[in-house]
Amino acid sequence: MTGVKIVGVGHYVPERVIDNFELEKWFDTSDEWITTRTGMKRRHWASENEATSDLALAAARKALADANLDPTDVDAFIVCTVYPDYLFPATACIVASKLGAPNKAAFDMEIACSGFIYGLTVASSLVRSGVYKRILLIGAETLSKLVNPEDRGTAILFGDGAGAVVLEASEEDSFLGSELGADGSKPQLLLVEAGGSRHPIDELALEEKTDRIHMEGREVFKFAVTKMIEATDSALAKANLTKADVDVLIPHQANKRIIDAAMKYLEMPSDKCVINIEEYGNTSAASIPIALSEAVGDGRVKPGDTIVFVGFGGGLSWGAVAWKWQ
Ligand code: ACO
């Protein structure tokens, strides 16, 4: 086995900013409600012409530039997304071709908001086992296009964006431990019901908006706090580390109250936690790599830091990765 490290990071968000006051014009809601219940102030929404691959491409280019690499230096491209350009082909195939790196391995991973955590575990394993030397791993979403415009409970939560990392084989190993889990017994808690093989889209689906995100927020909230704590503890235990060893926590940005509750239980001071939910809302599989890219850019993540990435989402699913920044 070899080691793995991240040699480049980058992120991209669409130009169009939707603040809470704008949402007040469309929904029976308020800046005060959204801020106190979620911590969100703004989110960026893709234009009609921007698809998930466009955001992924922009983030990928930045990560490659940061790594000082050409796209052809990369052996495999992985896009974690819940809302690809098409049901198939995979968005990663489109991104790799547009980057000018055709004929390489390219595939998508779909495990909702846990996508980047699962993706980081899979991509790291492919590098550590020697299958590939370099992998470009991207989390990219355009969930503003998938929300139910009649449901104020979910439509206000999601933003669009993409974050990317370049993973490379390394003598020292950044990957310290991972915990992944899923429970598919209650898909109704968080799902898009129509559009798959069980319920292809028909007139009733369009009328009842079952082709859009449905979420039972309170249930997901309780699950999220519990699983963020358990997954962090397990990933650290697998890495032979404790909470006290963590320099930076980078959680999925779904709700500031969820993050605060988890931080409190984990007894982590808030300055150890990267939170940008105020600016971007919930960008699903993109939220962790966007937060990482920002934190590396402004020096909150430094060489030698022990990081825990932790997320949860549809599935229901969850996961955490303990990582040494080199
Ligand atoms: N503006 C004003 N009022 C609202 C809004 C809104 N935007 N949305 C809901 N309300 C109302 C409800 O109708 C309800 O009113 P009622 O008491 O008269 O019935 C009241 O506010 C409370 O509703 P709750 O749903 O209980 O509000 P809660 O405090 O739970 O906050 C929220 C809702 C923000 C969705 C929260 O439950 C949450 O963040 N849950 C977790 C979501 C999450 O983490 N998702 C991540 C996964 S996403 C993925 O994987 C793709």
Side-chain angles (χ1 to χ4, degrees), residues 45 50 72 118 125 184-185 187 221 245 252 272 285 296 300 316:
W45 282 5
E50 274 179 311
T72 53
Y118 272 67
S125 307
S185 64
F221 192 105
D245 297 311
H252 170 45
K272 282 191 173 186
V296 171
R300 273 176 292 169
L316 298 173

Side-chain angles (χ1 to χ4, degrees), residues 29 33 37 113 152-153 190 215 217-218 254-255 257 312-314:
T29 190
W33 192 96
R37 297 290 178 124
C113 298
R152 65 178 179 171
L190 182 51
M215 180 171 72
R218 260 181 233 184
N255 187 315
R257 288 187 296 142
F312 59 89

Side-chain angles (χ1 to χ4, degrees), residues 135-156:
I135 296 181
L136 183 51
L137 175 68
I138 308 166
E141 301 283 18
T142 49
L143 290 191
S144 70
K145 296 172 189 256
L146 193 62
V147 292
N148 177 351
E150 290 166 12
D151 176 14
R152 65 178 179 171
T154 51
I156 56 129

Side-chain angles (χ1 to χ4, degrees), residues 23 27-30 33-34 37-38 40 82 111-114 141 143 151-158 190 213 215-224 252-258 282-285 312-317:
L23 295 176
F27 303 102
D28 179 14
T29 190
S30 66
W33 192 96
I34 299 171
R37 297 290 178 124
T38 70
M40 297 169 189
V82 73
I111 183 77
C113 298
S114 307
E141 301 283 18
L143 290 191
D151 176 14
R152 65 178 179 171
T154 51
I156 56 129
L157 298 175
F158 295 99
L190 182 51
I213 295 172
M215 180 171 72
E216 293 176 26
R218 260 181 233 184
E219 289 303 309
V220 175
F221 192 105
K222 282 184 265 172
F223 144 83
H252 170 45
Q253 314 278 316
N255 187 315
K256 174 98 172 20
R257 288 187 296 142
I258 294 175
N282 180 350
T283 56
S284 186
F312 59 89
L316 298 173
S317 61

